[in-house]
C-alpha cells in the first residue's frame, strides 16, 4: 500500500522512474455473459499503465484482504460512461474501491458499453487508483471526459483529535442525522424533475448529461453518508468515540456533498427550462 502513496508523488509530473512497485488488485467476479466482451478489459488497462510507468506492476490478488483496492463492475440507471475511484474504505469491502460501469438501462433494456469505451473508463479509473490526476490534454487517458472521480481524498481526513471525542461524536451525529434524513426524498424529487427532459436538443443535451451525472453522484454520496453513519453508530456503541467522531463527521461531509450535487441539478433544470 505504501507503493500507492509513493507513486502519487511523481504521477503528477512527467513519467519518472519508480523503484519497482507492485499494486495488488482484487477484481470482483464478472457475470459470465459479460466476459466475452469485457473479460480482458482490466488486464488490458493494467498493461497500458505498466507500459506507461516503468517499474509499475499490477497483480491480481486471490484474496481481497491482501489487495490494495477492489475493482467492481456495475450497471447504472442512466446513460453515461461512468467510473470512480474512492480511497475511502467505509464500504462493505473495507478497502478503497474502483468501479467501472459496463452497462446502463435505457427504457428498461440493458445496453452495454462498447469494449473500447469500457477500456477507456477502466484505464482512466485505474490511473486515479495509482495516483494520477486529470490531464488538460484531450488525447490523454486522464482527460476529464466522462465520469467520475471527485476528490474523495479530502472527505475522510486524518483527524485532528478533538479534546472531547465523546462530545464531538455526539455533535456530528446530530449534524449528520438532521442533514441525511431529508436527502432520500430530495433525491427522488430530483430524479422526477430530470425525468421530464429528454435528449435530442443540441443546446441542452450536455446540461442534461451533466445533471444526470450530478444526480448519480448525489445517490453515491448519500450511500457513503449512510454507511458512515452506520459505522459511527456501531463505534459509538463500543464507546470508541474517536472512531465514531471520525465516521459521523465523514457522514456529515458526504451529506453536504449530496446537497451540493442536488443544488447543481436544480441550477441545470432552470437552465434547461430557459432553453426550451
Ligand atoms: Zn477522472
Amino acid at each position: 500500500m505504501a507503493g500507492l502513496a509513493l507513486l502519487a508523488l511523481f504521477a503528477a509530473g512527467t513519467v519518472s522512474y519508480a523503484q519497482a512497485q507492485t499494486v495488488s488488485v482484487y477484481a470482483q467476479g464478472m457475470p459470465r455473459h459479460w466476459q466475452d466482451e469485457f473479460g480482458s478489459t482490466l488486464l488490458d488497462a493494467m498493461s497500458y499503465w505498466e507500459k506507461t510507468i516503468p517499474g509499475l506492476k499490477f497483480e491480481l490478488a486471490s484474496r481481497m484482504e491482501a489487495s490494495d483496492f477492489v475493482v467492481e463492475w456495475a450497471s447504472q440507471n442512466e446513460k453515461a460512461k461512468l467510473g470512480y475511484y474512492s480511497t475511502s474504505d467505509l464500504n462493505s469491502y473495507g478497502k478503497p474501491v474502483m468501479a467501472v460501469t459496463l452497462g446502463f438501462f435505457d427504457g428498461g433494456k440493458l445496453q452495454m458499453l462498447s469494449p473500447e469505451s469500457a477500456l477507456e473508463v477502466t484505464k482512466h479509473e485505474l490511473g486515479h487508483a495509482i495516483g494520477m490526476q486529470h490531464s488538460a490534454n484531450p488525447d490523454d487517458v486522464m482527460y476529464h471526459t466522462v465520469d467520475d472521480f471527485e476528490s474523495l481524498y479530502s472527505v475522510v481526513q486524518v483527524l485532528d483529535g478533538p479534546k472531547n471525542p465523546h462530545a464531538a461524536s455526539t455533535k456530528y451525529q446530530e449534524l449528520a442525522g438532521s442533514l441525511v434524513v431529508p436527502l432520500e426524498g430530495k433525491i427522488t424529487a430530483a430524479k422526477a424533475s430530470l425525468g421530464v427532459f429528454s435528449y435530442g436538443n443540441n443546446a441542452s443535451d450536455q446540461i442534461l448529461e451533466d445533471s444526470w451525472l450530478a444526480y448519480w453522484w448525489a445517490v453515491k454520496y448519500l450511500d457513503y453518508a449512510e454507511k458512515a453513519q452506520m459505522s459511527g453508530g456501531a463505534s459509538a456503541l463500543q464507546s470508541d468515540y474517536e472512531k465514531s467522531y471520525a465516521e459521523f463527521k465523514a457522514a456529515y461531509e458526504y451529506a453536504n456533498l449530496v446537497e451540493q450535487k442536488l443544488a447543481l441539478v436544480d441550477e441545470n433544470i432552470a437552465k434547461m427550462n430557459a432553453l426550451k
Side-chain angles (χ1 to χ4, degrees):
M1 195 59 199
L4 289 189
L6 186 60
L7 201 56
L9 292 177
F10 43 83
T14 51
V15 172
S16 321
Y17 292 84
Q19 310 149 274
Q21 309 275 352
T22 302
V23 177
S24 183
V25 180
Y26 183 81
Q28 196 192 45
M30 183 184 282
R32 185 165 291 278
H33 56 281
W34 286 3
Q35 284 175 11
D36 277 353
E37 289 200 72
F38 306 110
S40 68
T41 304
L42 182 59
L43 293 174
D44 291 347
M46 286 174 167
S47 56
Y48 168 82
W49 282 113
E50 287 175 343
K51 281 181 200 134
T52 308
I53 303 179
L56 174 68
K57 279 272 170 290
F58 286 99
E59 66 179 17
L60 288 172
S62 51
R63 290 181 314 117
M64 189 187 70
E65 296 71 28
S67 69
D68 291 316
F69 60 89
V70 173
V71 174
E72 211 177 50
W73 310 105
S75 54
Q76 297 295 336
N77 286 325
E78 314 304 338
K79 181 175 179 177
K81 286 192 284 176
L82 287 173
Y84 71 88
Y85 175 75
S86 164
T87 53
S88 169
D89 58 6
L90 292 172
N91 54 53
S92 54
Y93 306 112
K95 291 277 178 186
V97 174
M98 170 184 142
V100 174
T101 297
L102 296 178
F104 55 92
F105 289 93
D106 187 16
K109 199 163 171 284
L110 184 63
Q111 306 277 328
M112 301 313 288
L113 241 61
S114 70
E116 295 75 25
S117 295
L119 180 59
E120 184 193 340
V121 178
T122 307
K123 280 191 207 167
H124 182 102
E125 298 310 330
L126 204 56
H128 282 311
I130 58 172
M132 303 299 283
Q133 307 295 314
H134 283 145
S135 160
N137 174 2
D139 297 328
D140 192 302
V141 68
M142 294 313 291
Y143 186 66
H144 199 349
T145 37
V146 254
D147 52 291
D148 112 295
F149 175 84
E150 312 241 331
S151 191
L152 291 169
Y153 292 100
S154 60
V155 177
V156 183
Q157 299 151 341
V158 178
L159 295 156
D160 44 4
K163 285 201 184 72
N164 182 341
H166 191 173
S169 168
T170 306
K171 184 186 124 197
Y172 273 103
Q173 183 172 17
E174 286 168 7
L175 282 172
S178 59
L179 206 55
V180 165
V181 170
L183 287 178
E184 196 95 40
K186 288 185 187 177
I187 281 179
T188 308
K191 187 176 189 180
S193 312
L194 279 178
V196 170
F197 297 92
S198 49
Y199 287 101
N201 174 340
N202 285 341
S204 62
D205 274 0
Q206 187 58 50
I207 304 174
L208 185 56
E209 196 165 313
D210 292 347
S211 308
W212 278 118
L213 189 57
Y215 165 81
W216 184 82
W217 270 106
V219 171
K220 203 77 206 165
Y221 283 136
L222 181 57
D223 184 44
Y224 286 136
E226 287 171 344
K227 280 176 179 146
Q229 253 187 325
M230 270 166 51
S231 313
S235 302
L237 273 178
Q238 293 166 351
S239 306
D240 188 347
Y241 297 117
E242 299 264 354
K243 194 157 178 245
S244 65
Y245 159 69
E247 289 159 338
F248 286 133
K249 188 163 185 277
Y252 173 70
E253 286 170 0
Y254 282 127
N256 273 307
L257 291 173
V258 179
E259 293 277 14
Q260 284 174 25
K261 293 296 171 188
L262 291 175
L264 189 65
V265 170
D266 283 347
E267 237 173 74
N268 282 349
I269 286 174
K271 276 189 214 161
M272 290 189 290
N273 278 328
L275 284 170
K276 264 186 187 166

